[in-house]
Amino acid sequence: MANVILPSGDTVVVDGGDLLAVLKERGETAAAVVVDGQLHDVRDPLPSRGDARAIGLDDPAAIEVLRHTASHVLAHAVTRLYPGVKLAIGPAIAEGFYYDFRFPAPINRDDLPRIAEEMAKIVAEDLPIERVWLPRNKAAALLAEKGEAYKLELLGEIPDERISFYRQGEFIDLCRGPHLPSTGLVQHFVLLDLAGAYWRGDATRDMLTRIYGTAFPTREALAEHLKWREEARKRDHRLLGPELDLFSIQNETVGAGLVLWHPKGAAVRHEIETFWKEEHYRAGYQLVATPHIGRARLWETSGHLDFYKDGMYSPMDIEGQEFYLKPMNCPFHIAIYKTHTRSYRDLPIRYAELGTVYRFERSGVLHGLLRVRGFTQDDAHIICRPDQIEDEVLACLDLTLHILGAFGFRDYKVALSVRDPEHTEHYIGSDAMWEEAERSLVRALERKGLPHIRMAGEAVFYGPKIDLHVLDSLKRSWQLTTIQFDFNEPERFDMAYIGDDGQAHRPYMVHRALLGSLERFFGILIEHYGGAFPAWLAPVQAAVLPVTEAEIPYAEGVAAELRAAGIRAEAWTKERKTLRWLIREAQVQKVPYMLVCGAREAAGGAVAVRLRTGEDLGHQRVADVVTRIKGAVTSRGASL
RNA sequence: GCCCGUGUAGCUCAGUCGGCAGAGCACUUCCUUGGUAAGGAAGAGGCCGUCGGUUCGAUUCCGACCGCGGGCUCCA
């Protein structure tokens, strides 16, 4: 006898375990059952005693089940339409689901409506979804008979002797579940995309066809999701970049993955850089500048030529010496450190640089500003004593939260990546160093009040790290800040400081980037703001718009006055366009302040102020407008 | 690199079932002196991604190559 809380909130006592019948009797539906925090099928036998909770489709925990079942409905439809198709895997993912297939002949996007139609039929048929347990040999025989080679491979990796399958109508699939009780519950779904995907993500194995889709419990939630996708598409920095004349990437003339910052993009970059430099000086960093190339021996010493050669460009011959374009700034910063004998009193030393590096990326992975071949890291290396490390990490967190906050990023997720405890031999540095480093990272996070997820085995070989992910205005997650211990290079470069005991000691080095790279960060910023930058970042902060030709000199005077006050202002006087045209152009360019100059304004030393938001502030004295804009700029706030 | 899609004017895209290439925006000139999201007219602009094949004839059909877009484990 089990007590079951139903989706309606009522509690019933289910005898004999037939929950489905009870639900039907009461006119309720359930997606799954939660027992001891685990999701189970509604059809599963209930525990002999204790409590269970049947959850409805709209329960947040049910969405994965819904989407997983949707992927089965997809696979079912595909097997009906394309005899001979082979099934691979079909999980629920963060925003929906996918299923990987090997089709007998290539399909394309135009096939998706047909498949979706077939899915709708399967939903309308409301087929019961039942779990079938087979002994291993029967499971293997079934899959072999169906020629499901990929499934057989998966079967080989399942340790159990009892193998779980799910059956709906004539379709049966190896699957661990759980699933909805019937196909009729997958009402609101859509197929979105088609893409290639390697079997098991391995480039040496078969290329499969992946079909992406998503499903929601209600029509409204699905519609909202599609709207969100549309909004994200409109904010795509690769669309907005050319549209707002911010940057270009010209493969034919310049090269793939190499970014040209146009005047307007460069204006934003200048603001980012200025702010960044000021804050770093304030936080006790010293700015350095280092060259773009360096001798091969530098990269031999650092180990890059051993571990990272594939990511580096070919060497160039300069007077018989090999030089490489730099993929990282660290060796140069270390070289500066080593120009003196350092005392424990000198530490911590914090070298910061907006350092431009070049890394080889395969052409297929290049993506707008987010994945490029030449980029400027907002890099810094903190060289310190072991007893200083915790405070240094804390100071890094303070600085990055302050800087990211200024760009409107206030939601964070933090990941702490540490060694794989099973394979400590894959990592450089002593156990004591790793433990102390992790302790100081955790303590710094705790002092900052930042919850984090600990990821064992995610650390790079040379040290543990903290990665900060921010959520943008569309709640999308981007990894920006990384704070990494480096046990490798201090060793390789034989870095030292003289302690109070008069002996040489090995310093700790922390490598950190807060924004990641200026290129990538700019791309994220464009999408975060949808191109409508706050006043302090806006490439053109104010457009001065004359109503008629008569006001052109006045408009130019106003713009000059604003520029003298340090505001990026332009008088739009090169062409005699109607005011309507000028306003529209300023709106499209997302200029925050539009200052209209007509005869009335020109007569009184005023402008009529229109904000990008559409708000009309009416007549304002020019001096007051300057004060307002300066205020918005210096506060680096979002309001205009 | 690999799978699917795609490549026509500076930009966004039509189009040619094989017969001298089209629109809107932008650009140039002229008219218009216009008060809060596009005033009107005319003009200029193309090796239809590149190379090869089929053909009397290819931007169109076929092949190769190049570029671009989406994607390439969030694991039955």
Side-chain angles (χ1 to χ4, degrees):
Chain A
M1 293 238 284
N3 296 318
V4 182
I5 305 167
L6 300 181
S8 60
D10 297 346
T11 303
V12 292
V13 177
V14 180
D15 220 355
D18 195 352
L19 175 59
L20 205 59
V22 174
L23 284 163
K24 193 174 176 189
E25 205 172 286
R26 300 175 57 99
E28 290 195 46
T29 57
V33 176
V34 183
V35 181
D36 293 335
Q38 295 280 326
L39 282 172
H40 292 273
D41 288 349
V42 177
R43 291 174 194 275
D44 276 357
L46 290 162
S48 49
R49 70 178 80 97
D51 293 335
R53 191 164 60 89
I55 56 174
L57 264 188
D58 53 351
D59 191 290
I63 193 124
E64 258 184 63
V65 181
L66 167 65
R67 288 172 176 167
H68 192 185
T69 298
S71 94
H72 270 219
V73 173
L74 165 61
H76 190 173
V78 165
T79 54
R80 279 187 183 176
L81 295 172
Y82 303 90
V85 72
K86 299 303 172 211
L87 305 176
I89 58 169
I93 55 174
E95 304 291 344
F97 62 88
Y98 67 79
Y99 210 107
D100 284 349
F101 305 95
R102 179 149 187 101
F103 283 92
I107 68 161
N108 61 41
R109 207 162 296 227
D110 301 334
D111 293 296
L112 294 184
R114 224 179 117 221
I115 296 170
E117 227 170 273
E118 193 62 37
M119 288 174 70
K121 279 188 209 161
I122 292 166
V123 171
E125 289 163 21
D126 196 17
L127 302 167
I129 302 173
E130 287 166 312
R131 182 174 234 164
V132 182
W133 292 98
L134 292 178
R136 169 172 291 275
N137 58 343
K138 289 238 173 95
L142 175 68
L143 293 174
E145 182 206 321
K146 293 165 78 78
E148 296 288 4
Y150 305 112
K151 294 288 184 189
L152 271 172
E153 187 177 328
L154 294 172
L155 177 65
E157 290 166 19
I158 301 171
D160 313 327
E161 276 313 304
R162 230 164 54 109
I163 308 296
S164 160
F165 283 77
Y166 276 83
R167 182 205 299 280
Q168 59 195 51
E170 78 279 15
F171 177 78
I172 185 160
D173 193 10
L174 172 74
C175 182
R176 71 176 162 196
H179 276 286
L180 301 179
S182 70
T183 60
L185 296 174
V186 189
Q187 288 285 330
H188 309 290
F189 68 90
V190 64
L191 295 184
L192 294 168
D193 249 318
L194 194 95
Y198 293 109
W199 171 233
R200 323 218 84 176
D202 183 342
T204 65
R205 312 206 53 184
D206 291 351
M207 173 58 70
L208 307 174
T209 302
R210 173 169 300 178
I211 297 177
Y212 282 97
T214 192
F216 285 87
T218 63
R219 181 182 308 279
E220 293 71 32
L222 175 61
E224 198 178 317
H225 177 77
L226 294 176
K227 215 173 103 188
W228 176 86
R229 276 175 63 93
E230 176 62 18
E231 180 60 28
R233 197 189 59 78
K234 278 196 299 204
R235 284 168 178 247
D236 190 325
H237 72 281
R238 292 166 305 168
L239 254 46
L240 288 173
E243 211 169 291
L244 301 177
D245 200 13
L246 297 171
F247 70 90
S248 61
I249 297 172
Q250 304 178 27
N251 304 286
E252 300 78 21
T253 43
V254 178
L258 303 172
V259 179
L260 301 179
W261 295 69
H262 295 200
K264 286 180 179 157
V268 179
R269 177 171 173 152
H270 176 249
E271 284 297 335
I272 298 171
E273 288 185 352
T274 305
F275 175 55
W276 188 91
K277 288 176 183 172
E278 284 172 8
E279 295 305 321
H280 276 72
Y281 273 128
R282 194 165 299 167
Y285 285 77
Q286 298 170 285
L287 296 195
V288 297
T290 64
H292 288 186
I293 62 173
R295 293 179 62 159
R297 58 181 303 176
L298 200 57
W299 310 108
E300 281 160 13
T301 307
S302 71
H304 283 100
L305 283 176
D306 288 336
F307 299 110
Y308 199 71
K309 198 164 201 299
D310 291 346
M312 291 173 69
Y313 286 98
S314 312
M316 54 199 121
D317 182 297
I318 297 175
E319 292 180 324
Q321 296 291 332
E322 274 192 356
F323 281 72
Y324 281 89
L325 268 172
K326 69 172 167 184
M328 293 190 181
N329 303 302
C330 9
F332 296 99
H333 292 189
I334 294 169
I336 295 173
Y337 177 86
K338 291 190 63 176
T339 56
H340 293 78
T341 302
R342 304 291 178 174
S343 152
Y344 70 98
R345 298 176 207 274
D346 296 329
L347 303 182
I349 284 174
R350 310 181 190 93
Y351 291 142
E353 176 179 17
L354 294 169
T356 303
V357 299
Y358 294 87
R359 296 180 185 176
F360 174 71
E361 301 278 2
R362 292 175 306 161
S363 61
V365 307
L366 296 175
H367 184 86
L369 292 174
L370 301 183
R371 198 80 180 265
V372 293
R373 285 176 172 163
F375 55 95
T376 302
Q377 288 184 307
D378 69 311
D379 207 359
H381 294 91
I382 297 164
I383 301 153
C384 66
R385 307 189 305 260
D387 63 289
Q388 297 171 315
I389 198 71
E390 184 184 325
D391 286 340
E392 287 305 308
V393 173
L394 183 66
C396 274
L397 291 171
D398 273 327
L399 182 60
T400 197
L401 293 189
H402 170 65
I403 288 182
L404 295 178
F407 294 100
F409 296 117
R410 295 201 173 78
D411 292 324
Y412 311 99
K413 288 188 291 186
V414 183
L416 171 67
S417 299
V418 297
R419 287 189 299 185
D420 180 348
E422 309 287 311
H423 298 284
T424 55
E425 72 279 7
H426 292 171
Y427 302 88
I428 194 168
S430 69
D431 289 354
M433 288 167 93
W434 278 84
E435 280 154 25
E436 176 170 22
E438 180 177 347
R439 257 199 316 277
S440 53
L441 289 174
V442 169
R443 272 201 303 261
L445 285 170
E446 281 168 356
R447 281 168 68 187
K448 200 64 206 153
L450 284 171
H452 66 272
I453 307 164
R454 188 174 184 277
M455 317 249 288
E458 287 299 306
V460 270
F461 75 91
Y462 52 77
K465 62 171 179 172
I466 290 175
D467 288 326
L468 215 89
H469 301 248
V470 302
L471 296 185
D472 73 4
S473 56
L474 292 184
K475 304 286 175 210
R476 294 176 300 180
S477 174
W478 306 93
Q479 196 224 302
L480 292 178
T481 303
T482 183
I483 302 172
Q484 307 189 344
F485 271 83
D486 189 341
F487 300 141
N488 182 44
E489 286 180 313
E491 203 72 34
R492 285 175 164 268
F493 283 97
D494 193 25
M495 295 169 75
Y497 69 92
I498 308 301
D500 59 1
D501 55 2
Q503 302 296 308
H505 296 270
R506 188 78 72 212
Y508 273 13
M509 185 166 85
V510 168
H511 174 116
R512 45 113 286 194
L514 307 184
L515 309 177
S517 85
L518 291 178
E519 285 73 10
R520 193 176 117 89
F521 186 70
F522 186 38
I524 293 166
L525 262 195
I526 293 170
E527 305 210 354
H528 178 55
Y529 289 123
F533 294 104
W536 73 285
L537 289 170
V540 178
Q541 291 166 324
V544 187
L545 313 177
V547 175
T548 74
E549 199 170 358
E551 289 87 33
I552 287 178
Y554 179 71
E556 280 169 348
V558 169
E561 198 176 333
L562 264 64
R563 280 197 297 271
I567 296 166
R568 288 187 291 274
E570 289 178 355
W572 288 6
T573 57
K574 274 186 227 140
E575 282 157 337
R576 295 210 325 270
K577 294 280 190 183
T578 59
L579 181 62
R580 287 169 64 78
W581 190 95
L582 292 170
I583 295 276
R584 182 186 138 82
E585 190 60 18
Q587 283 297 150
V588 169
Q589 291 297 316
K590 306 182 196 292
V591 176
Y593 301 93
M594 289 160 240
L595 311 181
V596 176
C597 305
R600 296 197 293 278
E601 287 78 15
V607 289
V609 180
R610 178 194 160 106
L611 302 182
R612 179 172 63 196
T613 57
E615 195 182 343
D616 185 355
L617 302 183
H619 245 59
Q620 305 266 330
R621 283 173 37 232
V622 174
D624 293 341
V625 173
V626 168
T627 306
R628 180 189 181 105
I629 299 177
K630 289 295 280 182
V633 167
T634 50
S635 72
R636 296 200 170 94
S639 56
L640 298 181

